[in-house]
């Protein structure tokens, strides 16, 4: 069942109260259809559930089959990962819809090659289970398995295996595909391969931490004996952060704290002219989980595992991670429908540009290119006829308690790499009384370190004493960790300036102190960033910040 842009737009006015139906059914009824449509054909379940465990067995069979396909077959395991390498959007508003298409076709491929017609991709809910599911360390479900060594045992082996068919593929690209890749920064195949190996044409050297290739033994940092996310990654996937990330009332807003999606750009392969704005769910849980599985922080400055760079789909955990991100988009969409709010871009020209964006690199289950398809094709889960099993919908958010009077963003001033903000008492009191765990959001802008060895993660310190430049996740001064996914590759033209939306928890000492001082007490915030855990010495990073209240 497919829905037009017009049908999508009609949902906001009439869909309140329909959130417990499958999404396709909700849209059909809201658009004036004959009533509830049939349930989805396939159901994605939590990987730890009995149904999810059954799917995991089929997943392993499918991965094994993809590994055995010749590299000339676009469904080969590594060839499939290159679709993400060449075409994936990050840090812009096509992030969700492109990845829905990518994992949707991958799901079809596993269904075909595993011999299981009921296969649906399980999802890994890292909020409930902040560790890699045990089954993902079995056999081919970990990229450190011996089955991968034939291809990734060393860089020469990987090059001999995959470079010739990728060169042949490059030679057959259409003019439209070449135009898109040029916008991404890839003028020729040598540019592509330099980003695979981490070779810098300016520094004339290969930097291990910048390569997209990962050797078999180091392809994933986490192991069966060390499966847990560290406390800072666990913070970024915690219920309070996820609840705040689902709070935005608009699919896209120029103010990133009010936007469900990241920056609006002219193409899914380009960064914006100004700062790259990361939505909360992309910039915090998505990026941080990618990084930690690959070893960012723990094994700085690398070499890292697959999950840290654009060949991340070589690690099978990628697809369970992104199924959960897709699930959260589904949760947000159902919340919007339940509250009578829009589920897509609301501005006419911008909406048309978003929905009309062409995706040119997807491959279907039989190995044939999908050909040019538009973003609108993947906006609804009905495009692949699936839904999510129990746990997929969080329900409408609770009624909000806001402070009396009007309040809004509070601008910061810069002084010695520290942003200082003064919050009025009404803002602080409203923050502490609000039903949302972290209603105040700091919009933090920093200059991304340039060069192939630049830091990828920074801890947000709020009112930390002078001289404190590293804190644990349970510190009353820890506001969270902002993370860049992927290194700043020489050929991918990505902005070096980024803004992150960071929810400010109520347990921060600055807020508990203000609460204890009484209703008239405001708060003086001093926000600074330091490089996160790892061997690199902490350094202060220039920071610009604003704190934004709900609905402002």
């Amino acid at each position: 069942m497919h829905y037009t842009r017009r049908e999508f737009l009609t949902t906001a006015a009439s869909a309140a109260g329909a959130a417990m139906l499958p999404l396709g059914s909700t849209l059909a009824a809201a658009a004036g259809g004959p009533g509830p449509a049939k349930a989805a054909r396939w159901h994605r379940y939590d990987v730890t559930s009995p149904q999810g465990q059954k799917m995991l067995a089929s997943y392993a069979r499918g991965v094994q089959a993809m590994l055995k396909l010749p590299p000339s077959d676009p469904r080969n395991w590594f060839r499939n990962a290159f679709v993400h390498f060449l075409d994936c959007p990050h840090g812009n508003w096509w992030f969700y819809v492109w990845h829905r298409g990518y994992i949707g076709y991958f799901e079809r491929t596993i269904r075909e090659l595993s011999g299981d017609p009921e296969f649906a991709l399980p999802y890994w809910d890292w909020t409930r289970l902040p560790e890699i599911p045990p089954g993902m360390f079995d056999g081919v479900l970990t990229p450190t398995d011996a089955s991968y060594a034939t291809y990734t045992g060393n860089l020469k082996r990987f090059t001999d295996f995959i470079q010739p068919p990728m060169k042949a593929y490059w030679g057959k690209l259409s003019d439209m595909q070449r135009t898109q890749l040029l916008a991404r920064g890839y003028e020729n195949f040598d540019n592509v391969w330099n980003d695979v190996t981490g070779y810098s044409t300016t520094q004339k050297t290969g930097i291990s931490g910048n390569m997209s290739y990962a050797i078999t033994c180091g392809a994933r940092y986490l192991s069966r004996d060390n499966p847990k996310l560290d406390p800072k990654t666990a913070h970024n996937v915690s219920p309070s952060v996820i609840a705040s990330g689902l709070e935005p009332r608009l699919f896209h807003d120029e103010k990133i704290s009010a936007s469900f999606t990241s920056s609006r750009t002219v193409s899914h392969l380009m960064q914006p002219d100004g700062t790259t704005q990361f939505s909360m769910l992309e910039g915090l849980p998505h990026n941080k989980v990618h990084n930690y599985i690959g070893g960012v922080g723990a094994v700085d400055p690398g070499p890292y595992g697959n999950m840290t760079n654009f060949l991340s789909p070589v690690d099978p955990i990628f697809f369970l991670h992104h199924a959960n991100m897709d699930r959260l988009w589904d949760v947000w969409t159902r919340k919007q429908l339940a509250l009578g709010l829009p589920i897509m871009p609301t501005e006419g020209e911008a909406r048309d540009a978003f929905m009309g964006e062409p995706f040119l690199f997807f491959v279907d289950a039989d190995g044939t290119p999908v050909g040019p398809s538009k973003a609108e094709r993947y906006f609804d889960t009905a495009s692949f006829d699936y839904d999510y099993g129990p746990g997929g919908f969080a329900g409408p958010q609770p009624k909000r308690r806001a402070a009396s009077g009007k309040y809004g963003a509070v601008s910061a001033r810069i002084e010695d790499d520290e942003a200082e903000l003064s919050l009025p008492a009404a803002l602080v009191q409203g923050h502490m009384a609000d039903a949302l765990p972290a209603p105040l959001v700091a919009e933090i802008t920093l200059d991304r370190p340039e060069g192939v060895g630049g830091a990828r993660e920074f801890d947000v310190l709020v009112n930390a004493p002078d001289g404190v430049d590293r804190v644990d996740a349970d510190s009353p001064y820890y506001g969270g960790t902002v993370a860049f996914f992927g290194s700043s590759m020489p050929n991918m033209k990505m902005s070096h300036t980024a803004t992150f939306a960071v929810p400010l928890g109520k347990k921060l000492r600055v807020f508990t102190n203000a609460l204890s001082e009484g209703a008239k007490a405001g708060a003086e915030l001093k926000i600074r960033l330091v490089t996160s855990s790892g061997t690199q010495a902490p350094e202060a990073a220039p920071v610009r910040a604003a704190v934004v209240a709900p609905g402002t």
Side-chain angles (χ1 to χ4, degrees):
M1 188 174 296
H2 183 65
Y3 297 93
T4 65
R5 291 195 295 270
R6 181 176 181 182
E7 287 172 328
F8 271 115
L9 285 173
T10 65
T11 63
S14 58
M20 295 309 293
L21 294 172
L23 180 55
S25 300
T26 301
L27 293 175
K38 66 176 184 179
R41 171 67 178 82
W42 290 280
H43 310 286
R44 294 180 180 174
Y45 291 98
D46 189 307
V47 66
T48 61
S49 69
Q51 301 96 324
Q53 288 292 292
K54 182 179 179 182
M55 293 299 103
L56 208 58
S58 297
Y59 186 33
R61 291 197 302 273
V63 173
Q64 185 72 65
M66 292 178 74
L67 281 169
K68 291 181 178 179
L69 290 172
S72 58
D73 192 318
R75 299 170 299 170
N76 169 270
W77 183 254
F78 300 97
R79 286 288 306 275
N80 176 71
F82 269 97
V83 174
H84 185 267
F85 183 95
L86 293 172
D87 198 40
C88 64
H90 291 90
N92 68 50
W93 65 343
W94 282 287
F95 168 81
Y96 284 104
V97 68
W98 186 93
H99 283 86
R100 175 169 285 173
Y102 179 58
I103 69 173
Y105 289 116
F106 173 81
E107 183 178 59
R108 284 184 179 178
T109 299
I110 294 292
R111 190 177 296 143
E112 174 71 19
L113 296 180
S114 69
D116 181 2
E118 300 305 314
F119 176 78
L121 192 64
Y123 65 87
W124 169 32
D125 182 359
W126 15 250
T127 304
R128 190 186 61 78
L129 181 70
E131 62 181 82
I132 290 188
M136 294 306 294
F137 296 109
D138 295 340
V140 295
L141 296 182
T142 173
T144 61
D145 184 69
S147 299
Y148 290 82
T150 302
Y151 318 104
T152 57
N154 55 56
L155 182 56
K156 182 182 185 304
R157 192 177 296 175
F158 185 66
T159 300
D160 291 345
F161 172 74
I162 202 66
Q163 190 184 56
M166 284 303 302
K167 272 188 174 180
Y169 173 68
W170 179 273
K172 297 177 182 179
L173 293 175
S174 69
D175 290 343
M176 288 181 64
Q177 288 173 316
R178 290 184 180 276
T179 299
Q180 285 198 345
L181 289 174
L182 186 62
R184 193 173 179 88
Y186 290 140
E187 183 178 2
N188 53 55
F189 184 77
D190 287 342
N191 293 157
V192 174
W193 199 252
N194 284 342
D195 280 352
V196 172
T197 63
Y199 180 75
S200 169
T201 56
T202 57
Q203 296 183 11
K204 303 299 182 183
T205 183
I207 306 297
S208 61
N210 189 46
M211 62 171 57
S212 294
Y213 157 81
I215 194 169
T216 307
C217 61
R220 183 193 286 172
Y221 166 65
L222 290 175
S223 64
R224 192 184 302 276
D225 295 331
N226 176 39
K228 295 183 181 299
L229 302 179
D230 73 314
K232 290 179 180 177
T233 309
H235 169 86
N236 273 22
V237 303
S238 65
S240 63
V241 171
I242 302 305
S244 295
L246 294 171
E247 170 66 13
R249 283 357 193 203
L250 291 174
F251 184 79
H252 180 262
D253 193 288
E254 292 300 322
K255 186 167 53 181
I256 194 58
S257 59
S259 182
F260 180 69
T261 55
S262 298
S263 304
R264 173 183 168 185
T265 58
V266 297
S267 163
H268 74 282
L269 292 168
M270 297 177 65
Q271 297 300 303
D273 292 335
T275 185
T276 296
Q277 297 193 94
F278 285 98
S279 68
M280 195 176 298
L281 293 183
E282 184 182 356
L284 299 185
H286 169 265
N287 290 0
K288 189 71 173 73
V289 169
H290 262 284
N291 284 355
Y292 192 67
I293 292 175
V296 170
V299 293
D300 288 345
Y304 300 124
N306 289 116
M307 280 287 279
T308 60
N309 283 308
F310 292 90
L311 280 178
S312 48
V314 170
D315 189 334
I317 196 66
F318 171 95
F319 294 97
L320 276 66
H321 174 46
H322 271 278
N324 197 45
M325 291 300 299
D326 184 78
R327 181 184 70 88
L328 291 176
W329 180 20
D330 184 61
V331 170
W332 181 84
T333 300
R334 294 171 186 276
K335 180 265 295 184
Q336 293 289 102
L337 292 173
L339 298 177
L341 296 170
I343 62 173
M344 62 180 294
T346 54
E347 302 158 340
E349 291 185 6
R351 182 178 61 250
D352 291 345
F354 177 88
M355 289 295 190
E357 175 71 2
F359 298 151
L360 308 178
F361 292 87
F362 292 150
V363 175
D364 213 337
D366 60 0
T368 59
V370 174
S373 56
K374 296 180 180 180
E376 65 180 350
R377 180 171 177 176
Y378 310 108
F379 201 86
D380 183 10
T381 58
S383 58
F384 294 100
D385 204 4
Y386 70 92
D387 61 15
Y388 286 94
F393 177 61
Q397 293 185 323
K399 292 183 178 180
R400 309 296 302 281
R401 290 182 58 193
S404 59
K406 294 182 179 180
Y407 56 88
V410 181
S411 298
R413 65 180 186 274
I414 307 300
E415 183 175 342
D416 297 329
D417 297 331
E418 186 173 70
E420 298 185 10
L421 307 94
S422 180
L423 305 185
L427 194 59
V428 175
Q429 297 298 321
H431 173 70
M432 299 302 283
D434 199 293
L436 197 67
L440 284 181
V441 177
E443 295 179 348
I444 297 176
T445 302
L446 69 151
D447 296 325
R448 179 172 183 173
E450 296 198 28
V452 292
R456 300 191 189 189
E457 296 187 352
F458 294 88
D459 289 344
V460 180
L461 272 54
V462 182
N463 288 26
D466 293 340
V468 173
D469 51 20
R470 181 160 294 157
V471 298
D472 295 328
D474 59 357
S475 168
Y477 309 115
Y478 176 71
T481 298
V482 298
F484 293 96
F485 166 68
S487 57
S488 182
M489 289 181 168
N491 293 307
M492 285 190 186
K493 298 177 180 179
M494 300 183 69
S495 171
H496 288 287
T497 303
T499 299
F500 291 85
V502 181
L504 298 177
K506 297 177 184 179
K507 294 182 180 180
L508 286 168
R509 182 163 296 178
V510 64
F511 294 133
T512 58
N513 284 350
L515 191 65
S516 66
E517 292 173 8
K520 294 183 179 181
E524 298 295 323
L525 269 64
K526 295 182 178 181
I527 299 176
R528 57 189 169 95
L529 300 181
V530 296
T531 55
S532 195
S533 60
T535 57
Q536 182 177 0
E539 300 171 356
V543 56
R544 296 172 289 283
V547 172
V548 182
T552 60

